Amino acid sequence: MSRGWRTFLFICSAIVLFFVYLWGAGGLPPFGHYRGPYGDVLNQVAVFERHATDVVTAVNFDYRGFDTLGEEFILFISVIGCSVLLRALRREQKENEDEAAKSDEILGRRVPDPSSATKVTTLALIGPLVVFGLYVVTHGQLTPGGGFQGGVILATAPLLVYIAGDLKTFKRITSHALVEVAEAVGALGYVVIGAIGLILGRQFLQNFLPLGQTGTINSAGTIPLISISVGLEVAGGFVLLLYAFLEQTLETRLRE
């Protein structure tokens, strides 16, 4: 298919999607007027039934935990797909290394070294960022947050290392094999927690641990464990993507 036809199909699809979006948005209730009834029911029973003060996390990791499992594996498979595609591109780049290096010299593609102020600021932020990310992951059942949000926050810590240094430093502090294992363990952990419910004669992903005291970090049964598993998978997945994109973009510069 020619580029012109691809552009034409994209424009037609974008126009159709735009009008479908407007049609869907037109059916939404006015802002601040929730129609219910599911949210109203959950607000009334979630704290009592799950001992979780964050109803959103209780919904994600318990009431509709099977749907969230699918969402997690969408990210897992997406990371695998991006890694495979970028690996193929890196192979092509190595075959044309001399030509690519020459092209970079002609275009003057030089990334300036970070300033001292940038290095000090970013390095100072890494510690608090990791602590905050761990807090968001482990307190998802108590406050807004959880594994998805906390995992993204944790994944930005290696990015700050790259900003303060370079790709070599990023690779030195980020074990590619360890990050892959972390992502796989996080995804597997979600499935294992659900399977334990089946082994105990209950439903898949049914909350089988003691619910604890409402408002404490060890409350809500299996919800904190699932949140930690999701946080591990999300953090590992985003670090792998960051690793692959940085390596693809800057590999030629490092070999000059």
Side-chain angles (χ1 to χ4, degrees):
M1 184 181 294
S2 66
R3 182 175 181 179
W5 272 108
R6 291 199 301 269
T7 303
F8 174 76
L9 289 176
F10 169 77
I11 293 174
C12 293
S13 301
I15 292 174
V16 173
L17 179 62
F18 175 73
F19 283 103
V20 170
Y21 175 80
L22 290 181
W23 174 71
L28 294 175
F31 184 77
H33 295 77
Y34 176 66
R35 293 175 179 173
Y38 303 108
D40 296 328
V41 173
L42 286 170
N43 280 329
Q44 294 175 6
V45 303
V47 177
F48 173 75
E49 291 183 348
R50 297 296 184 265
H51 293 199
T53 53
D54 182 15
V55 178
V56 175
T57 298
V59 172
N60 286 337
F61 299 146
D62 192 301
Y63 289 108
R64 45 148 268 176
F66 189 76
D67 295 337
T68 307
L69 175 63
E71 294 174 5
E72 183 189 39
F73 273 87
I74 288 174
L75 174 63
F76 183 78
I77 296 172
S78 299
V79 171
I80 293 176
C82 288
S83 299
V84 170
L85 290 175
L86 292 174
R87 183 181 303 169
L89 291 175
R90 287 197 297 272
R91 188 180 301 113
E92 294 176 4
Q93 186 182 43
K94 289 179 181 179
E95 294 174 355
N96 301 283
E97 178 179 348
D98 295 336
E99 181 180 350
K102 183 178 178 181
S103 174
D104 275 2
E105 291 179 0
I106 294 174
L107 296 176
R109 294 174 180 169
R110 294 289 178 175
V111 180
D113 294 329
S115 64
S116 298
T118 301
K119 291 181 179 180
V120 171
T121 303
T122 52
L123 290 176
L125 288 174
I126 292 175
L129 190 67
V130 171
V131 173
F132 180 61
L134 293 174
Y135 172 85
V136 172
V137 171
T138 56
H139 288 72
Q141 72 279 13
L142 304 177
T143 58
F148 285 103
Q149 299 89 329
V152 174
I153 295 172
L154 290 173
T156 58
L159 177 60
L160 291 180
V161 173
Y162 164 71
I163 294 174
D166 52 26
L167 184 57
K168 290 182 179 179
T169 305
F170 174 83
K171 286 184 174 182
R172 190 161 56 247
I173 64 100
T174 306
S175 171
H176 191 268
L178 184 60
V179 174
E180 288 181 337
V181 171
E183 186 196 19
V185 169
L188 179 63
Y190 201 143
V191 178
V192 170
I193 293 172
I196 291 176
L198 293 177
I199 295 173
L200 296 176
R202 306 184 182 186
Q203 298 176 359
F204 182 73
L205 284 175
Q206 184 173 349
N207 205 322
F208 57 85
L209 291 178
L211 296 177
Q213 182 178 355
T214 304
T216 60
I217 192 172
N218 60 343
S219 61
T222 59
I223 293 177
L225 297 181
I226 296 176
S227 181
I228 292 173
S229 296
V230 171
L232 189 62
E233 194 278 331
V234 171
F238 274 93
V239 171
L240 283 177
L241 286 178
L242 179 63
Y243 189 103
F245 278 112
L246 289 177
E247 189 177 40
Q248 170 66 27
T249 304
L250 303 175
E251 189 177 54
T252 301
R253 174 172 172 253
L254 292 175
R255 294 199 302 267
E256 290 179 356

